[in-house]
Amino acid sequence: DTEVTQTPKHLVMGMTNKKSLKCEQHMGHRAMYWYKQKAKKPPELMFVYSYEKLSINESVPSRFSPECPNSSLLNLHLHALQPEDSALYLCASSQGREGLAKNIQYFGAGTRLSVL
Amino acid sequence: DQQVKQNSPSLSVQEGRISILNCDYTNSMFDYFLWYKKYPAEGPTFLISISSIKDKNEDGRFTVFLNKSAKHLSLHIVPSQPGDSAVYFCAARDPNAGNMLTFGGGTRLMVKP
């Protein structure tokens, strides 16, 4: 089972709304990631959680706030977004940081976000 | 500064023939390379990987070749099938950057029946 589940699949929000994206995996992975992908572009890393601690923040604006309540869950809280934040938001997970040879990241299907 | 590049944005191949997708990189510290396949409205799906200490890895119809001196890798799909039509991303792992993946821009493969 290499499933990463993201909800919702689609989200439309206004610039004053507060919403959250959710990601869940039950593979025992200890690293989880948020990516943003614009059309015809590769995924861009936003955040990395390793063992429930934020280890990488790729200079993401504070209107995006990640949260890792436990090792299986990853949230992305959204507030006061801009229309240019409209994109596909992808969650991924991998085994962790123990110098593994592979540490393959497995992706969810993404949340298609539209900011009006 | 793109550390991973896929110079062909698209590739069209006849069913049954070989598809060759190319990827170049600049960072000699990358230690692992992965190929992902992405269908529209879905997340990337892991396809095949190769360690920097190897030059070839094969899995069924998919083979990845690595030329470290040229900083070049390629994905071969033989025989190509219409279901292989998707966007293919090459990604490289930097062990000095928390095992982060750097993705290439993707190549859209179209396999014609």
Side-chain angles (χ1 to χ4, degrees):
Chain A
D1 179 16
T2 56
E3 189 170 334
V4 177
T5 304
Q6 289 188 244
T7 55
K9 291 194 185 306
H10 302 276
L11 179 62
V12 179
M13 60 186 291
M15 290 190 284
T16 58
N17 292 158
K18 284 186 182 180
K19 297 285 184 184
S20 297
L21 309 184
K22 296 185 185 303
C23 175
E24 190 168 1
Q25 57 86 14
H26 295 288
M27 296 179 276
H29 288 175
R30 302 311 297 271
M32 296 185 77
Y33 311 77
W34 279 116
Y35 288 85
K36 173 182 177 179
Q37 185 175 23
K38 299 283 259 184
K40 298 185 178 180
K41 296 286 187 182
E44 295 177 12
L45 184 67
M46 299 174 72
F47 301 104
V48 180
Y49 271 83
S50 181
Y51 290 79
E52 294 101 75
K53 292 191 188 309
L54 183 64
S55 62
I56 293 175
N57 175 342
E58 289 291 309
S59 303
V60 180
S62 60
R63 57 186 185 268
F64 295 92
S65 174
E67 178 198 17
C68 190
N70 60 57
S71 60
S72 300
L73 295 174
L74 185 66
N75 298 321
L76 186 62
H77 302 298
L78 315 173
H79 174 55
L81 294 195
Q82 304 296 311
E84 59 265 27
D85 296 321
S86 298
L88 180 69
Y89 287 84
L90 293 163
C91 172
S93 71
S94 66
Q95 288 185 358
R97 65 180 180 195
E98 299 102 350
L100 294 173
K102 294 187 178 180
N103 201 29
I104 294 166
Q105 292 183 28
Y106 295 94
F107 285 81
T111 294
R112 175 74 57 189
L113 174 67
S114 297
V115 182
L116 304 178
Chain B
D1 175 27
Q2 271 188 287
Q3 296 190 65
V4 179
K5 286 186 183 178
Q6 292 175 254
N7 290 318
S8 298
S10 64
L11 174 67
S12 183
V13 170
Q14 205 67 35
E15 181 179 6
R17 298 289 185 99
I18 184 171
S19 296
I20 301 176
L21 297 98
N22 294 303
C23 180
D24 296 294
Y25 63 96
T26 57
N27 186 346
S28 57
M29 299 305 293
F30 288 143
D31 70 339
Y32 216 81
F33 303 89
L34 304 91
W35 284 95
Y36 285 86
K37 173 180 176 180
K38 187 178 184 304
Y39 293 116
E42 291 185 13
T45 302
F46 169 71
L47 198 57
I48 192 169
S49 61
I50 188 167
S51 164
S52 60
I53 62 173
K54 299 195 171 184
D55 55 18
K56 177 182 174 181
N57 187 27
E58 190 172 354
D59 183 2
R61 295 186 298 114
F62 302 92
T63 303
V64 56
F65 295 93
L66 175 63
N67 183 332
K68 255 186 108 171
S69 59
K71 294 192 177 69
H72 176 83
L73 64 154
S74 60
L75 175 67
H76 293 211
I77 307 173
V78 182
S80 302
Q81 299 173 354
D84 296 329
S85 298
V87 177
Y88 289 78
F89 289 99
C90 122
R93 190 181 77 175
D94 185 348
N96 297 319
N99 288 323
M100 279 172 48
L101 290 181
T102 301
F103 285 85
T107 296
R108 180 175 300 281
L109 173 66
M110 291 163 283
V111 180
K112 297 180 180 177

